[in-house]
Amino acid sequence: MAEKTLVNLRALMASHSPKLDALVVPSEDYHQSEYVSDRDKRREFVSGFTGSAGLALITANEALLWTDGRYFLQASQQLSEQWKLMRMGEDPAVDIWMVDNLPKDAAIGIDPWCVSVDTAQKWERAFAKKQQKLVQTSSNLVDEVWKSRPPLEINPVIVHPLEFSGRSVQEKLKDLREKLVQEKAHAIIITALDEVAWLYNIRGTDVSYCPVVHAYAIVTLASAFFYVDKRKISSETSSYMLKNGIEVRDYSAVSSDAVLLASDQLTPSSSAIKAERDVPKKIDSNSHEAGNDNMEEESSNNLVWVDGTCCFALYSKLNVDKVLMHPSPLGLAKALKNPVEIEGLKNAHIRDGAAVVQYLIWLDKQMQEFYGASGYFIEGESFKKNDQPKSVKLTEVSVSDKLEEFRASKQHFRGLSFPTISSVGANGAIIHYCPTVESCAELDPNSMYLFDSGAQYLDGTTDITRTVHFGKPTSHEKACYTAVLKGHIGLGNARFPNGTTGQTLDILARCPLWKDGLDYRHGTGHGIGSYLNVHEGPHQISFRPPAQKIPLQPSMTVTDEPGYYEDGNFGIRLENVLIVKEADTKFNFGGKGYLSFEHITWAPYQRKLIDESLLVAEEIEWLNNYNSKCREILAPYLNTTEMEWLKQATEPIGA
């Protein structure tokens, strides 16, 4: 099947005008999303690689797949012999490879809707050395050969209530328009799905695990447009949009409207103008919300704001001389959680923590009953019982399904926030392992078990990782687990001055591992949405250059998730969600002000995996304080039996 796909694509490349020497198939959809709908998984279709990040390049004679360190092992297992794995950070980048390996004057085909402005311009600069050219295909060639492509789904647009969003659409539009005025822009094109959802306080189910809607937005100083399949809009949602002065237009109309915007001819319909006039406005001397003020500003500000992640197709329709290429102001605005969102995130993580504890209790009992495991608390040899029913079999998938059941019983649950990483033994070394019913492993009482999981609740998004062992861990496993735990604590306990970036802090999680010559190939922390995407920028904690762009600020969320992965043996990762807050320090050098973290994830760390001799007094004190809070915070959500288990799991260390 994969070989036939390559043959068919190469035939289309050869017949294309001009003839294509190479075809780029990225992971992203028309909105440059990390997670995409099934019908947008083109790179997965052509390569067979199922990871969330990667890029395929097809030439007349070769097929190559670039991916990052999270997926090296997985890609090597999933790619057929027709494909060559290119390791990001180790092998030449895709643009460098194309320049070095494709002929002079080569034509490289892209679907401009699936490639960002930043990427396209970067490649064009590289290609200029050999007069190679980027060719925008009029249709997606993969779609032409993908005969079994999943159909388009029509899912309703859902209004996200103010009790969960914390800020009204009008407040957000006011702030956005003030940003436009500051930057001398009269409009902005918004293509990121989570930014559209956040700005208009809407959610949807167009992408699995991400409560977003396939939609674009264009906001001017006087108008707001929402581009979506109108079949997704109910009468109630239509009224909501009108009430907020937002005009709903067809999804495909964004293309022609971008052309109109470029020539300053994009205007709302008469009904939208009337609705805009009816929207209540608070007008003061500094406001640009009044209609006349907006029109005056619009005439003097002639730039169109575009984020570098905008699809190249829309950018190509604008007047380049009048484009403000700058990071979207909504990224940072969305990352800075308001008080309602913070409270919601805390509550969601408490309920989620209760579900994780209930899962651990259930799994502990199952492992002892059916596999003769010594259990969560006792460090002893395990044996498989001979009298277990043949029908009883705990697999990576069946136990993760049980975890979802516990979550589904909690208030405001709306689904998982990403596919659960449920991995036993060697599978744990595959950083973003995703088990399937057909190929998943059975649980083993003598192996490490890593589960990284999260949920979407109306009041918040969660993400937690724990690693456990139900038998007798080796001294090496314990030493590695403890090194990861020390890094996890070290980062979580950090205090740092305002202006500090995640690239600076990343080392804190790695130092205990580096001490023993260990490391991991992924970043250490990412932002997390408020009932939105589980991975959220623009900030991050990582060794990679993008992490130095945006400093951490109060009310941001970020994960703390160091790990260690030993190919063929096991994987270890520990993850909590943190909120950045102001720190109460004795001094204030330079008058900068200092920041720290607040943990909002609640679930125990397995004591029998900790080599207590490797911990220092400060780490032991932190663990004991965390355990005490864990018992107190989760108590209202657990029954008597469950609380007895949690008390044992959180007994003081060093006592």
Side-chain angles (χ1 to χ4, degrees), residues 44 49 71 172 175 195 242 420 540 548 619:
E44 178 179 324
F49 168 61
Y71 293 112
K172 293 177 180 180
D175 289 349
E195 292 188 4
L242 278 173
T420 298
Q540 56 181 293
Q548 66 184 340
E619 293 164 340

Side-chain angles (χ1 to χ4, degrees), residues 21-97:
D21 296 277
L23 178 68
V24 177
V25 185
S27 300
E28 291 78 13
D29 59 11
Y30 289 6
H31 305 267
Q32 308 307 300
S33 308
E34 177 186 13
Y35 292 109
V36 301
S37 66
D38 288 343
R39 67 184 272 105
D40 290 321
K41 293 180 179 178
R42 298 178 177 92
R43 187 264 303 145
E44 178 179 324
F45 168 71
V46 301
S47 69
F49 168 61
T50 62
S52 66
L55 178 145
L57 180 71
I58 300 166
T59 71
N61 302 308
E62 294 186 86
L64 306 98
L65 186 285
W66 275 261
T67 192
D68 62 49
R70 295 171 297 169
Y71 293 112
F72 289 170
L73 187 56
Q74 178 180 337
S76 67
Q77 294 175 352
Q78 291 184 329
L79 293 176
S80 69
E81 59 184 16
Q82 279 97 19
W83 288 83
K84 179 181 180 181
L85 172 61
M86 304 295 285
R87 294 172 169 82
M88 291 180 177
E90 298 179 12
D91 293 318
V94 63
D95 54 335
I96 296 174
W97 189 94

Side-chain angles (χ1 to χ4, degrees), residues 516-581:
D516 292 326
L518 306 177
D519 205 351
Y520 51 97
R521 289 191 177 101
H522 57 77
T524 304
H526 57 82
I528 192 166
S530 176
Y531 185 38
L532 266 177
N533 293 353
V534 71
H535 291 165
E536 184 177 87
H539 61 290
Q540 56 181 293
I541 299 176
S542 175
F543 57 90
R544 296 188 178 93
Q548 66 184 340
K549 293 181 179 180
I550 304 294
L552 298 179
Q553 299 173 43
S555 79
M556 282 181 169
T557 57
V558 68
T559 60
D560 173 3
E561 50 178 312
Y564 173 64
Y565 313 90
E566 201 163 281
D567 290 356
N569 289 326
F570 61 83
I572 299 167
R573 184 162 62 253
L574 297 172
E575 177 184 20
N576 281 5
V577 173
L578 317 175
I579 292 178
V580 184
K581 65 176 184 177

Side-chain angles (χ1 to χ4, degrees), residues 480-495:
C480 292
Y481 179 94
T482 307
V484 172
L485 177 61
K486 287 169 71 71
H488 177 75
I489 295 172
L491 175 59
N493 278 351
R495 292 191 177 191

Side-chain angles (χ1 to χ4, degrees), residues 496-499 582-583 585 587-595:
F496 47 94
N498 271 299
E582 293 182 356
T585 55
F587 302 104
N588 184 19
F589 181 81
K592 291 182 176 181
Y594 282 71
L595 303 175

